């Protein structure tokens, strides 16, 4: 029987088994696999083991392999009959959960609950990013295997545990396992839909440079009564330098920052204008109303095709209750840049560091820590699997799938190209209100259910697609 | 026998009993009376009870009296023979101890140890500020009482427990107990010497306005990949506003900030120039070399006669290990201003808040918390007890006692004047390298010993002084 003919029973199976799919996702969500905090290294290992055991039941030859950090899973199911071979990528690690007091429920006790507007949602850290998303693919494979005894295409699954901390150890892992990860193209499920009813394939991604700067002045904390006015204050220096990173028009002032950045082609810009991303639709749900980026750019440009700078964290001095008249010995900030095509991460990092250093007053030193470094990605809109995936998504959702640019960074896409020579198809079912990286992360129940069905269709379509 | 004739046996007694004086100070230093943190309220109470019990043994009628916050001690020893009556003030509360990891020893386990340059020092939180200082006075009283059976003058001791958090409940307490706190003038031991060998009386104090500002934007933390560039970032807003508080010449840019600020009289400026406070003597010990204040002012002006602005703390976003691509929903800072004569605290606070509010972009809100509010003090250089104290200090240290201005704030001095009509004589034995409000706070053993002897002499001198 052809894959196309078998699709309907597979979809029916997904519907019938959905409660079990949900319970399997919950089991994964209960594991506290926070990669950023060494205290959770055991939980990261547990998540890898748990997933590997599960995937092995689907006929994959599965291994948990060590990296220099948290382990990765490699699982292979090859028919060996000259079929298309896809490499599916996801990550089992999640973001830290602080501030914990803003969660309405414990972040690692998943539930299905009602969103204010009536949508059913799954709430937990990782519900979307990336446990919910990666399980849509795993569950689609399960349905195919269960109904037909096999999978429509050859599949290698690779799941890492350090995506949220920059995949530093995963890239060498790719290099080392290159021979073992050969495929025709990659599939990644870590992106979003256009809106709750409109599926999308992401064809461009911003890059990311993430730096930490620490400014030091005196050799100890000082009393502001004795030294105030005479001694350099590192918080004053830090705010002065960071406060100058944007000009009055929202442009970034670092010399050379926009070098190589191109305007959108007029036809794409026209399409984007039609998408009508407005402050009302995009910012109002988060309590805002005014686009905060470059004043002469559309909101959709600000969040997807323009480079940005955000201060992600800052700390210095006394931050407890009440007051303390201290001049701190040091202050630090975490600063990140979303990059677009044409910008080189190394150059941007150096330009930022030069900017800071040039503005340091006497008696101050600056130290820097490199947290991540990924170029922007522009995928080929004409790659063949894209058309198959687009058709499958359109069939499932009953609405034309859009090709969109994403403001976020998925550095692994560039690494797949460079290391393995693979192009990537980015399909995901996240929504802008999923609160990923925030308290009360959620995934729409519909995203999870129709996400599984979407992958079942995509696998069938890829089996038939010209290569 | 006259007080003058009894002085030498009193001083001898102080020398003979010094080891016990030190042990009594240690007992007080072991009590964790951190007023800023509600978790230590019981310790504050314990410190008050401990001191009250001790002072009662010196013939004072002693009470621990409640305030709306931590309790205060009132102790009275009146001869009732028309003698001078002094009100001595100190505080038993101490600053928080964070960052704890920078202490070489636990902050509440006092020891005597050797300073790098050979001086013997007492190390503990509160060793100087203000437990060590207030105990110099208590021990001087003990010696007089022990040798002569009485005190040379009438004394009311008042010790509060909230000086480090702005004395908010102590000022109403003064009002309420006004009738009970009558005296001829006040003595405060919470200031410093000019250098380790030169005693000083402080005749001017800077005021203090301490405000906290919290800037809020989105209704939740956001992912910088999805919203970066389009959504307002409160840390960016906060750094931009605070980073503009000083101009390139180190002047504060808040409109009206310098209104009413007068230059030093030429004769005082000439005296101060002679004191020769250099970057080498004042800044080098703290690892700095360049005065950070207004470029056209002497270093001694910057730290004592000019108003300043310091950011004492800042926090926002992700501040843990590693990285998190978050745009925080809010960010906050603690900002304080040292004021000089002519500046009104309420006006300065309002001017700061107006400055922040005027610079807030759309979608941002600012909230403020008032932490303290004290005007600058300029004491009368000709007040009569000053001459007696100066003579006594000069006798003890063998070096002319200086009349100096202090950069720090002791708001209670203004409250004594306003509430009780009292002028204050400020004598203290602190040094610039005492690390008050910092890790490894210390008090020179010599300061403690000769401080006790100094007060013994001052009490004798005040008994004879013209009123």
């Amino acid at each position: 029987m052809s894959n196309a003919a078998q699709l309907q029973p597979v979809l029916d199976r997904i519907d019938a088994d959905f409660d079990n799919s949900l319970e399997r996702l919950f089991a994964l969500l209960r594991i506290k696999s926070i990669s950023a905090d060494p205290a959770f290294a055991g939980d990261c290992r547990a998540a890898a083991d748990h997933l590997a055991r599960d995937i092995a039941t689907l006929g994959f030859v599965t291994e948990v392999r060590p990296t220099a950090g948290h382990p990765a899973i490699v699982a292979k199911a090859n028919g060996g009959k000259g079929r298309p071979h896809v490499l599916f990528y996801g990550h089992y690690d999640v973001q830290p959960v602080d501030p914990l007091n803003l969660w309405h429920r414990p972040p690692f006790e998943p539930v299905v609950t009602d969103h204010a507007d009536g949508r059913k949602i799954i709430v937990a850290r990782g519900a979307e990013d990336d446990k919910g998303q990666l399980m849509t693919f795993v569950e689609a494979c399960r349905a195919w295997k269960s109904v037909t005894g096999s999978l429509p295409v050859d599949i290698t699954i690779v799941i890492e545990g350090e995506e949220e901390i920059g995949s530093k150890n995963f890239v060498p892992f790719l290099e080392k396992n290159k021979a073992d990860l050969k495929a025709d193209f990659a599939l990644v499920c870590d992106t979003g839909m256009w809106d709750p009813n409109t599926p999308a394939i992401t064809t461009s991604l911003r890059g990311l440079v993430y730096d930490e700067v620490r400014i030091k002045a005196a050799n100890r904390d000082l009393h502001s009564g004795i030294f105030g006015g005479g001694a350099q204050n590192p918080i004053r220096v830090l705010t002065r330098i960071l406060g100058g990173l944007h000009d009055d028009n929202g442009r970034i002032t670092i010399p050379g920052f926009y070098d190589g950045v191109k305007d959108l082609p007029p036809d794409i810009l026209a399409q984007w204008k039609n998408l009508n991303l407005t402050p009302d639709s995009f910012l109002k749900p988060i309590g805002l109303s005014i686009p905060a980026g470059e004043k002469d750019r559309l909101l959709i440009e600000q969040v997807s095709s323009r480079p940005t700078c955000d201060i992600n964290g800052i700390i210095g001095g006394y931050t407890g209750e009440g007051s303390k008249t201290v001049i701190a010995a040091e202050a630090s900030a975490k600063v990140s840049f979303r990059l677009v095509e044409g910008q080189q991460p190394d150059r941007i990092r150096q330009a930022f560091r030069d900017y800071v250093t040039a503005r340091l007053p006497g008696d101050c030193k600056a130290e820097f820590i490199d947290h991540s470094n990924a170029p922007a990605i522009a995928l080929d809109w004409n790659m063949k699997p894209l058309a198959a995936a687009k058709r499958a998504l359109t069939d499932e959702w009953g609405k034309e799938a859009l090709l969109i640019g994403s403001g976020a960074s998925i550095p692994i896409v560039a690494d797949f190209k460079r290391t393995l020579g693979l192009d990537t198809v980015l399909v995901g079912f996240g929504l802008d209100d999923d609160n990923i990286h925030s308290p009360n992360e959620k995934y729409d129940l519909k995203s999870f259910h129709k996400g599984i069905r979407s992958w079942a269709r995509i696998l069938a379509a890829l089996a038939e697609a010209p290569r």
Side-chain angles (χ1 to χ4, degrees), chain A:
Chain A
M1 202 159 44
S2 76
N3 286 311
Q6 287 173 314
L7 179 59
Q8 193 53 51
V10 169
L11 295 176
D12 292 344
R13 174 74 188 194
I14 289 168
D15 295 347
D17 195 40
F18 184 64
D19 285 351
N20 295 321
S21 296
L22 195 60
E23 188 36 57
R24 285 184 289 265
L25 171 58
F26 276 22
L28 182 59
L29 290 174
R30 289 188 191 105
I31 305 173
K32 301 174 182 178
S33 46
I34 300 169
S35 52
D37 186 339
F40 295 91
D43 302 84
C44 289
R45 173 84 210 184
D49 289 342
H50 171 92
L51 264 171
R53 273 194 307 274
D54 185 34
I55 293 169
T57 66
L58 311 182
F60 285 79
V61 177
T62 307
E63 275 185 88
V64 175
R65 296 192 190 172
T67 73
H70 304 305
I73 300 157
V74 176
K76 306 178 79 158
N78 299 336
K81 292 163 289 185
R83 307 187 303 171
H85 186 167
V86 305
L87 176 71
F88 177 84
Y89 164 89
H91 62 93
Y92 65 76
D93 66 317
V94 297
Q95 282 276 323
V97 296
D98 58 280
L100 191 56
N101 63 315
L102 295 185
W103 286 79
H104 303 139
R105 290 181 42 88
F108 295 103
E109 297 177 17
V111 284
V112 171
T113 179
D114 291 311
H115 190 270
D117 67 5
R119 281 180 281 160
K120 292 272 177 203
I121 56 176
I122 303 162
V123 180
R125 169 58 82 228
E128 196 245 70
D129 182 16
D130 186 46
K131 290 174 175 173
Q133 299 249 55
L134 80 85
M135 286 300 287
T136 58
F137 187 83
V138 171
E139 292 299 310
C141 291
R142 193 185 318 274
W144 271 103
K145 176 78 177 172
S146 150
V147 172
T148 71
S150 69
L151 296 162
V153 295
D154 286 1
I155 300 176
T156 300
I157 293 179
V158 62
I159 301 177
E160 72 153 314
E162 298 194 311
E163 197 271 349
E164 301 294 3
I165 51 172
S167 300
K168 264 188 200 152
N169 299 306
F170 186 64
V171 177
F173 177 88
L174 281 186
E175 281 288 353
K176 206 177 139 195
N177 292 272
K178 170 154 83 167
D180 219 18
L181 297 172
K182 285 212 169 93
D184 298 320
F185 54 90
L187 300 175
V188 170
C189 189
D190 200 11
T191 51
M193 316 231 300
W194 175 249
D195 66 33
N197 301 309
T198 314
I201 301 175
T202 299
T203 53
S204 71
L205 293 163
R206 290 195 287 193
L208 180 67
V209 161
Y210 198 124
D211 226 33
E212 183 163 338
V213 53
R214 180 176 305 271
I215 292 181
K216 298 184 172 187
N219 57 19
R220 60 173 176 90
D221 286 357
L222 306 171
H223 185 316
S224 75
I226 298 173
F227 293 99
Q232 197 50 268
N233 181 329
I235 307 179
R236 168 176 154 190
V237 173
L238 186 65
T239 58
R240 190 168 166 83
I241 293 176
L242 299 183
L245 282 169
H246 294 84
D247 70 14
D248 290 340
N249 294 313
R251 269 178 78 87
I252 291 149
T253 58
I254 297 171
F257 183 77
Y258 292 98
D259 287 0
V261 175
K262 285 180 279 293
D263 279 345
L264 282 179
D267 55 327
I268 305 281
L269 187 61
Q271 285 180 33
W272 282 18
K273 277 185 177 155
N274 283 336
L275 292 175
N276 205 22
L277 185 84
T278 63
D280 212 50
S281 67
F282 187 72
L283 295 178
K284 201 176 169 188
I286 54 170
L288 301 177
S289 62
I290 307 163
E294 294 164 275
K295 286 193 176 152
D296 56 345
R297 300 289 173 173
L298 298 175
L299 176 55
I300 193 169
E301 291 179 281
Q302 293 180 3
V303 298
S304 51
S305 69
R306 296 296 297 175
T308 66
C309 166
D310 266 302
I311 307 166
N312 303 107
I314 191 165
I315 190 165
Y318 182 68
T319 59
E321 256 195 79
S323 63
K324 184 171 171 179
T325 49
V326 67
I327 299 175
E330 59 178 56
S332 67
K334 297 180 197 269
V335 181
S336 67
F337 301 88
R338 298 283 170 181
L339 307 186
V340 301
E341 214 191 341
Q343 290 181 299
Q344 295 175 27
D346 289 339
R347 273 206 184 171
I348 296 295
R349 183 183 308 280
Q350 195 54 51
F352 168 66
R353 293 182 176 186
D354 290 346
Y355 179 93
V356 171
T357 308
R359 280 157 185 78
L360 276 184
D363 282 344
C364 289
K365 290 171 290 292
E367 294 172 0
F368 299 92
I369 305 171
D370 166 358
H371 285 302
S372 43
N373 207 55
I377 305 289
L379 294 168
D380 178 4
W381 290 40
N382 300 311
M383 69 180 280
K384 294 201 174 105
L386 214 70
K390 189 165 187 277
R391 199 174 64 243
L393 284 168
T394 303
D395 287 350
E396 173 58 27
W397 294 80
K399 211 165 166 189
E400 180 82 11
L402 300 177
L403 302 185
I404 62 174
S406 165
S409 309
I410 305 184
I412 206 64
V413 173
D415 296 315
F416 284 154
K417 186 72 183 183
R418 203 187 54 247
T419 312
L420 309 176
L422 301 185
D423 288 320
T424 297
V425 179
L426 290 148
V427 173
F429 309 96
L431 295 172
D432 291 340
D433 67 357
D434 281 345
N435 298 341
I436 66 171
H437 297 203
S438 299
N440 307 308
E441 178 174 350
K442 64 91 176 160
Y443 198 35
D444 278 27
L445 197 68
K446 183 174 167 185
S447 285
F448 186 54
H449 187 177
K450 288 178 82 69
I452 301 170
R453 291 174 52 102
S454 296
W455 282 119
R457 289 182 189 271
I458 292 170
L459 290 177
L462 292 174
E464 315 296 336
R467 279 190 281 163

